[in-house]
Amino acid sequence: MSLLLSPFEFKGLKLRNRVVMSPMCMHSAEEDGFVTDWHRVHYGARAQGQVGLVFPETLAVEADARIGKGDLGIWSDAHVAGLKELVALLHGFGAKVGAQIGHAGRNADLPNVTRVAPSAIPFTEESPVPHALEPDEIARIVEAFGQAAKRAVEAGFDILEIHTAHGYLLNEFLSPLANTRDDEYGGDAQRRYRIVREVIDEVKKYWGERPLFVRISSTDHAAGGNTPEAFLEYGRWMKEQGVDLIDCSSGGIKMVKVESYPNYQVPAAEMLRKHLDIATGAVGLIQNGRQAEEILQNGRADLVFIGRQMLRDPFWVRSAADDLQESIDIPKPFTRYGAVWLNTKTTA
């Protein structure tokens, strides 16, 4: 069997394959961040489609931390019941479920919200100037990440991912383009990393030794910003703190046009995996099974995160199996008296 379609196991957790649905904002939650039928159907279809690990969209650790209106929340105990129901649904279709927790920082797009950031630097010239966080406010946000991890345990999530990418708050602290502080949270790489260190430590108080991922923006795509080489240092600290996998995306600090092409973000995952001996996740215009298999066969990453292609095709895993000329299980309702209804090489 291909690596893509073979099981992947770590820390006692077994994924049925190495395909991950990337977290993508749906902006379809009820007011105040509650799960709706949209999430049950949308994520349920991907779990039914044989995805190994499903990440719903980013779960906001505070009400004002949402990326936009309609985002899911995990800032309140009241969110746990709906998230627990969603996790149980996806488990019923054989998928494992991840919780990505995050804070939008200066990029929060909500009415009447005070945008916050490490420094009073707007995202663009037209963007509102954010409030530069004071140390006591940083401590409150760190605690909010810990409480979010506690609720993720209660909801039954299998994997937790800390969102430090795409220009949101933790990414802002890591980037010298957004963080010009001269206190203990800025000035050099070690101090810019401090809030991430505190968040990981706080999260692990509640999450324990369960699998822990971090999503990074491995490059800012802008002069003077972070590069993949900078993440050799950041990634080493993450590994020392007990992070199990680094999910390598990019961008978000500056509004810049990035030339994208198949596998364009994979080299960062490959570099960190090779030099840090840590598991990595690859993203970035991964479109078909053979492309994903090449990444795994050549040791460039351990898991493949599929985003837009998964939106286009809830049964992307089946399509990948056909591309690789392999057979996978399919849901029994798609068969009739042993005959497969779908025009596919997959088997019941």
Side-chain angles (χ1 to χ4, degrees):
M1 179 175 283
S2 64
L3 284 178
L4 181 68
L5 301 176
S6 64
F8 182 74
E9 187 170 353
F10 58 114
K11 283 192 168 180
L13 181 71
K14 187 175 182 178
L15 308 181
R16 60 187 168 190
N17 55 50
R18 302 182 187 223
V19 180
V20 183
M21 181 180 185
S22 277
M24 291 171 281
C25 290
M26 294 292 104
H27 305 302
S28 298
E30 288 183 358
E31 190 174 354
D32 294 330
F34 290 97
V35 171
T36 68
D37 283 346
W38 167 268
H39 304 97
R40 298 180 187 99
V41 173
H42 177 65
Y43 298 118
R46 276 72 190 171
Q48 210 176 42
Q50 303 298 301
V51 173
L53 172 61
V54 174
F55 272 104
E57 63 209 64
T58 306
L59 308 177
V61 300
E62 292 186 331
D64 288 350
R66 284 172 286 177
I67 296 167
K69 186 178 180 182
D71 285 347
L72 288 174
I74 198 169
W75 68 81
S76 166
D77 291 343
H79 291 122
V80 172
L83 293 171
K84 187 173 184 178
E85 178 188 332
L86 179 62
V87 170
L89 175 70
L90 303 187
H91 281 167
F93 293 129
K96 301 302 181 185
V97 192
Q100 185 189 74
I101 57 175
H103 191 300
R106 69 184 184 183
N107 287 341
D109 186 14
L110 297 166
N112 304 316
V113 65
T114 300
R115 294 167 175 82
V116 298
S119 303
I121 301 173
F123 177 53
T124 68
E125 292 182 359
E126 294 77 28
S127 301
V129 177
H131 164 67
L133 288 163
E134 298 292 341
D136 63 321
E137 295 171 316
I138 293 173
R140 185 203 72 230
I141 290 173
V142 169
E143 183 179 1
F145 272 92
Q147 291 301 305
K150 179 183 177 183
R151 295 181 188 110
V153 172
E154 294 170 358
F157 284 98
D158 302 293
I159 290 173
L160 192 73
E161 179 169 89
I162 300 169
H163 198 354
T164 71
H166 301 164
Y168 302 127
L169 186 65
L170 298 184
N171 186 197
E172 292 161 20
F173 269 91
L174 289 178
S175 175
L177 297 177
N179 183 352
T180 58
R181 300 172 73 102
D182 58 5
D183 64 358
E184 64 268 36
Y185 290 98
D188 59 27
Q190 190 166 26
R191 285 183 287 176
R192 290 196 302 273
Y193 182 77
R194 177 168 176 161
I195 187 174
V196 177
R197 182 180 298 281
E198 292 176 350
V199 164
I200 293 173
D201 286 345
E202 185 71 13
V203 159
K204 286 181 71 67
K205 288 180 185 178
Y206 303 96
W207 189 247
E209 293 306 311
R210 297 173 180 85
L212 179 64
F213 294 3
V214 173
R215 171 162 275 196
I216 64 169
S217 275
S218 59
T219 176
D220 290 337
H221 295 295
N226 281 324
T227 64
E229 287 72 25
F231 274 91
L232 289 176
E233 191 166 34
Y234 290 140
R236 187 173 296 109
W237 294 330
M238 291 174 185
K239 181 181 178 182
E240 289 170 356
Q241 287 189 266
V243 170
D244 298 297
L245 180 142
I246 300 176
D247 169 11
C248 301
S249 190
S250 69
I253 284 293
K254 286 280 191 178
M255 184 68 77
V256 295
K257 185 176 181 180
V258 177
E259 183 179 355
S260 59
Y261 45 85
N263 288 6
Y264 75 105
Q265 300 187 102
V266 174
E270 182 177 14
M271 184 183 72
L272 294 183
R273 188 178 191 270
K274 176 182 177 181
H275 290 284
L276 300 182
D277 190 27
I278 190 170
T280 60
V283 306
L285 280 180
I286 301 170
Q287 298 171 317
N288 58 58
R290 283 179 293 175
Q291 185 185 353
E293 182 68 11
E294 180 278 323
I295 293 167
L296 299 172
Q297 287 286 354
N298 288 316
R300 308 178 74 187
D302 298 270
L303 297 176
V304 176
F305 286 65
I306 308 297
R308 290 177 179 84
Q309 290 300 117
M310 194 71 71
L311 296 182
R312 298 184 181 103
D313 182 4
F315 288 86
W316 186 89
V317 179
R318 176 190 62 82
S319 300
D322 289 350
D323 192 34
L324 293 167
Q325 299 187 329
E326 291 203 23
S327 296
I328 62 169
D329 291 336
I330 64 171
K332 289 183 179 179
F334 293 163
T335 68
R336 183 185 184 194
Y337 304 119
V340 180
W341 284 70
L342 296 176
N343 181 20
T344 174
K345 297 181 178 69
T346 54
T347 61

